[in-house]
Amino acid sequence: MAGFVMQSLGCEVAALNTVNFSNHLGYGQARGTKVAAAEINDLYEGLKESYLDDFNMMLSGYLPGAASVEAMGAIARDLKGKAATKPGSFFWILDPVMGDNGKLYVEEDVVPAYKNLIKDADLILPNQFEAETLSGVKIVDMDTLKQAVTTLHERYRIPHIVVTSVSFPASGAERRLSIVGSTCTSAATPRIFGVSVPAIDCFFSGTGDMFAALLLVRFREAVSETPGLMDKEAWVSGDEVEATELPLARATEKVLASMHEVLTRTKVQRDEEIARYHATIEGGKEKDEKRLHLLVSKASEVRLVRNVDCLKNPVVQFKAGRV
Amino acid sequence: MAGFVMQSLGCEVAALNTVNFSNHLGYGQARGTKVAAAEINDLYEGLKESYLDDFNMMLSGYLPGAASVEAMGAIARDLKGKAATKPGSFFWILDPVMGDNGKLYVEEDVVPAYKNLIKDADLILPNQFEAETLSGVKIVDMDTLKQAVTTLHERYRIPHIVVTSVSFPASGAERRLSIVGSTCTSAATPRIFGVSVPAIDCFFSGTGDMFAALLLVRFREAVSETPGLMDKEAWVSGDEVEATELPLARATEKVLASMHEVLTRTKVQRDEEIARYHATIEGGKEKDEKRLHLLVSKASEVRLVRNVDCLKNPVVQFKAGRV
């Protein structure tokens, strides 16, 4: 997911696989193996030995255990160290993949491993559960969300934060998702903006990776539009820039425009595919629950390759507002 | 390479990695691991268990040892078996990657493993050396090349063959490459066509995979333009179709148009990158031969992601002719 999104927007990508699975875990079953931490180290050594380690950005995602999180962290720190004399020349986006909806789906030792690492990241992308886990703040409304973001800036000195997919008890008829981001000021105070989008009533897999990959491209693009900002440490905008005018806010708007369009199209095709399937079987409804879950999972796969135009040409409908 | 090419032309791809290396072997060194045959089997079992094995086409490429060649072959045969009642519903393109320029670069037991397999493939894509190895005919001119193709059709009953990159001693000033293809008739006689393109004076890696992936898409497209042909066993055109009018010939023309454009652009950027490098070092020329080889290898990486338009919109300049 992440590799193709970045490539289709023009990035040369070196993908370091951390698992080699037959399918994503949304199916509830998978075969294959995890890549050992020693092999992650070894692959990076291989890149270094052939002068293939001149990266501008790094995006880290799903890592199943603490040892592989630490191996990934060592790579990021090495790349950061090499770039130390040239501020802004290397940027690390860390997606602290740990769980969702109140449940951890990695080994427990992954949590302290991320807590040790994220102070070196430039941008983190926790979902609501991960933001709670890292900040220790239970998020139940906008106030506690702001408190969590403030805590993350303060405790870990992270310049940029985007909390993806926050969902509060619905007030109106239409269920919506909030995405809340912040770039800290020079005084380490948050500048918080939010974007609200209509929720699509369907479980998709890989949308976190899709968000991260799109944000990598769109954030770099937005930063490059402010003269001199790419040469500043961690691309932190000057204190005069308002929350809703941050490059991170501009980027988030474009990302959500692309995602909403791709997922809306996916939902239509998914529903058609499921209806077609039911029409072919006796009784019109699959009775085997496991089989139904697998077929629905497949039908819900994000329709990416034929919707690259949505990635390339986002039409912004949902604007960032103050929180 | 192959995955991105197919995806950027609209294919949903399930990539089953057979190696997990830091870089391609053109660098002369790499770290990482080969995926064991048992894991290849296991990943395919995983796909089957979740109803993810409904493939229209399969492309097999580099496999480092006989056991993994056999594991891949078992997958192709299983998919073919499932499609047996619906002719044309599954198509297997086999690239018998074994070596180049007279040298084997896989283990020796890979050769008999491919010889046992290719009778079940629909289309094979050997280069000159691989065509010699499989046919037992030494290719030195057009006559021996035709003899090799005829032997492959007869001995292995392969419906479609494309011999990629054939180079004979130059007759004129400009070095050219020939690509020779054939779809057999119902009497198993060859229908041979050839396309000649200017050679680009540079060693590129991954161009075999690029050719194979583009041909997969363009051949399917060309076949779909003949009503009913997709429902025929192995998509073999009726005997009335001339060699140069074959869907395989149309597809090869488009593939070569895309490749020539991408590689021409790559060569320009490669030369600029190497010149820029030399300009930064004392003496204007890298003295360390190993380092130079690594830097040139990197500079020669095919510029794919920013040239997707060349893949999507090939402008045919080199037409298939009779051989």
Side-chain angles (χ1 to χ4, degrees):
Chain A
M1 174 64 91
F4 180 71
V5 167
M6 291 186 282
Q7 287 180 309
S8 61
L9 293 172
C11 300
E12 296 289 355
V13 176
L16 201 160
N17 296 326
T18 56
V19 293
N20 190 22
F21 286 169
S22 57
N23 48 268
H24 66 67
L25 301 178
Y27 287 87
Q29 59 185 23
R31 293 203 187 209
T33 51
K34 298 171 183 176
V35 177
E39 185 167 351
I40 293 175
N41 292 332
D42 203 41
L43 288 168
Y44 180 62
E45 281 307 308
L47 292 173
K48 291 219 291 194
E49 285 167 1
S50 292
Y51 307 102
L52 293 169
D53 59 338
D54 56 336
F55 298 107
N56 302 115
M57 300 185 78
M58 171 167 152
L59 169 61
S60 59
Y62 175 65
L63 290 147
S68 55
V69 170
E70 281 155 14
M72 174 278 290
I75 293 171
R77 283 171 174 153
D78 190 56
L79 290 169
K80 219 175 149 142
K82 283 198 308 163
T85 57
K86 241 186 124 188
S89 65
F90 175 71
F91 194 96
W92 174 21
I93 300 180
L94 186 156
D95 188 357
V97 182
M98 296 190 287
D100 207 355
N101 302 314
K103 263 168 59 186
L104 218 56
Y105 46 56
V106 291
E107 291 161 27
E108 272 190 33
D109 57 4
V110 165
V111 179
Y114 274 125
K115 285 185 176 171
N116 282 331
L117 263 191
I118 57 174
K119 63 182 183 303
D120 290 322
D122 298 300
L123 163 58
I124 62 167
L125 299 171
N127 59 26
Q128 181 169 351
F129 171 70
E130 291 154 353
E132 289 175 343
T133 306
L134 293 172
S135 69
V137 178
K138 176 85 189 148
I139 299 170
V140 292
D141 54 18
M142 254 326 155
D143 276 342
T144 45
L145 176 55
K146 285 165 79 168
Q147 205 183 311
V149 170
T150 306
T151 304
L152 290 172
H153 276 313
E154 284 174 355
R155 186 179 300 165
Y156 302 101
R157 298 279 149 180
I158 305 166
H160 310 274
I161 299 163
V162 179
V163 183
T164 58
S165 69
V166 182
S167 180
F168 300 130
S171 49
E174 187 196 44
R175 205 166 67 84
R176 295 184 74 88
L177 286 180
S178 294
I179 289 85
V180 168
S182 169
T183 296
C184 66
T185 64
S186 57
T189 55
R191 280 177 281 194
I192 302 183
F193 64 88
V195 189
S196 161
V197 298
I200 298 173
D201 185 26
C202 175
F203 180 77
F204 301 109
S205 279
T207 46
D209 293 328
M210 187 178 176
F211 185 96
L214 284 168
L215 193 70
L216 179 146
V217 176
R218 295 302 177 195
F219 187 46
R220 187 180 180 87
E221 177 188 61
V223 166
S224 75
E225 285 163 8
T226 300
L229 186 53
M230 290 204 77
D231 303 324
K232 286 182 72 176
E233 182 66 34
W235 304 348
V236 176
S237 299
D239 290 347
E240 72 286 359
V241 181
E242 293 285 321
T244 54
E245 299 305 318
L246 288 167
L248 193 60
R250 285 292 85 74
T252 303
E253 288 168 348
K254 285 194 181 174
V255 169
L256 293 174
S258 289
M259 288 192 67
H260 189 69
E261 186 62 28
V262 171
L263 296 180
T264 300
R265 295 186 190 189
T266 298
K267 177 67 161 59
V268 171
Q269 294 182 359
R270 166 196 184 270
D271 292 347
E272 287 170 1
E273 195 172 317
I274 294 170
R276 266 199 309 276
Y277 175 73
H278 286 313
T280 63
I281 60 171
E282 209 187 341
K285 184 85 189 149
E286 176 62 56
K287 302 264 183 333
D288 180 338
E289 275 196 35
K290 184 181 169 194
R291 186 182 165 93
L292 183 63
H293 173 70
L294 295 170
L295 292 166
V296 168
S297 296
K298 180 168 194 291
S300 309
E301 290 283 4
V302 178
R303 305 300 194 279
L304 198 62
V305 300
R306 300 199 180 184
N307 290 310
V308 169
D309 57 311
C310 307
L311 305 185
K312 290 190 138 171
N313 307 302
V315 181
V316 173
Q317 306 172 59
F318 315 108
K319 298 282 291 177
R322 292 193 68 83
V323 169
Chain B
M1 174 65 90
F4 180 71
V5 167
M6 292 186 282
Q7 286 179 309
S8 61
L9 293 172
C11 300
E12 295 289 355
V13 176
L16 202 161
N17 296 327
T18 55
V19 293
N20 189 23
F21 287 169
S22 57
N23 48 268
H24 66 67
L25 301 178
Y27 286 86
Q29 60 184 22
R31 292 203 187 209
T33 52
K34 298 170 184 176
V35 176
E39 186 168 350
I40 293 175
N41 292 332
D42 203 41
L43 289 168
Y44 180 62
E45 281 306 309
L47 292 173
K48 290 219 292 191
E49 285 167 0
S50 292
Y51 308 102
L52 294 169
D53 59 338
D54 56 336
F55 299 106
N56 302 116
M57 300 186 79
M58 171 167 151
L59 169 62
S60 60
Y62 175 65
L63 290 147
S68 54
V69 171
E70 281 155 15
M72 174 277 290
I75 294 171
R77 282 171 175 156
D78 189 56
L79 291 169
K80 220 174 149 145
K82 283 198 308 163
T85 58
K86 242 185 123 190
S89 65
F90 175 71
F91 194 96
W92 174 20
I93 300 180
L94 186 156
D95 188 357
V97 181
M98 295 190 288
D100 207 354
N101 302 313
K103 263 168 59 186
L104 216 58
Y105 47 55
V106 290
E107 291 161 28
E108 273 189 33
D109 58 3
V110 165
V111 179
Y114 273 125
K115 285 185 177 172
N116 282 331
L117 264 191
I118 57 174
K119 64 181 183 303
D120 290 323
D122 298 299
L123 163 58
I124 61 167
L125 299 171
N127 59 27
Q128 183 171 349
F129 170 69
E130 290 154 354
E132 289 174 342
T133 305
L134 293 171
S135 68
V137 178
K138 175 86 189 149
I139 300 170
V140 291
D141 54 19
M142 255 325 156
D143 276 342
T144 44
L145 176 56
K146 284 164 78 169
Q147 204 182 310
V149 169
T150 306
T151 304
L152 290 171
H153 276 312
E154 285 174 356
R155 186 179 299 165
Y156 302 100
R157 300 277 149 178
I158 305 165
H160 310 273
I161 300 163
V162 179
V163 183
T164 58
S165 69
V166 182
S167 181
F168 299 130
S171 50
E174 187 196 44
R175 204 166 68 85
R176 295 185 74 88
L177 286 180
S178 294
I179 289 84
V180 168
S182 170
T183 296
C184 66
T185 65
S186 58
T189 55
R191 279 177 281 194
I192 302 183
F193 64 88
V195 189
S196 162
V197 299
I200 298 173
D201 186 24
C202 177
F203 179 78
F204 301 110
S205 279
T207 47
D209 293 327
M210 188 179 175
F211 186 95
L214 285 168
L215 193 70
L216 179 147
V217 176
R218 294 302 177 195
F219 186 47
R220 186 180 180 86
E221 177 187 60
V223 166
S224 76
E225 285 163 8
T226 300
L229 187 52
M230 290 203 77
D231 303 324
K232 286 182 72 177
E233 182 66 32
W235 304 349
V236 175
S237 298
D239 290 348
E240 72 287 358
V241 181
E242 293 284 321
T244 54
E245 299 305 319
L246 288 167
L248 193 60
R250 286 291 85 75
T252 303
E253 289 168 349
K254 284 194 181 174
V255 169
L256 294 174
S258 289
M259 288 193 66
H260 189 70
E261 186 61 27
V262 171
L263 296 180
T264 300
R265 294 185 191 189
T266 298
K267 178 67 160 58
V268 171
Q269 293 181 359
R270 166 196 184 270
D271 291 348
E272 287 170 2
E273 195 171 317
I274 294 171
R276 267 199 308 276
Y277 175 72
H278 286 313
T280 63
I281 60 171
E282 210 187 339
K285 185 85 189 148
E286 176 63 55
K287 302 263 185 329
D288 180 337
E289 275 196 36
K290 185 182 167 193
R291 186 182 165 93
L292 183 62
H293 173 70
L294 295 170
L295 292 166
V296 168
S297 297
K298 181 169 194 290
S300 309
E301 290 284 4
V302 178
R303 305 302 195 275
L304 197 60
V305 299
R306 300 199 181 185
N307 290 310
V308 169
D309 57 312
C310 306
L311 305 185
K312 291 191 137 171
N313 308 302
V315 181
V316 173
Q317 306 173 60
F318 316 108
K319 297 282 289 178
R322 291 193 69 83
V323 170

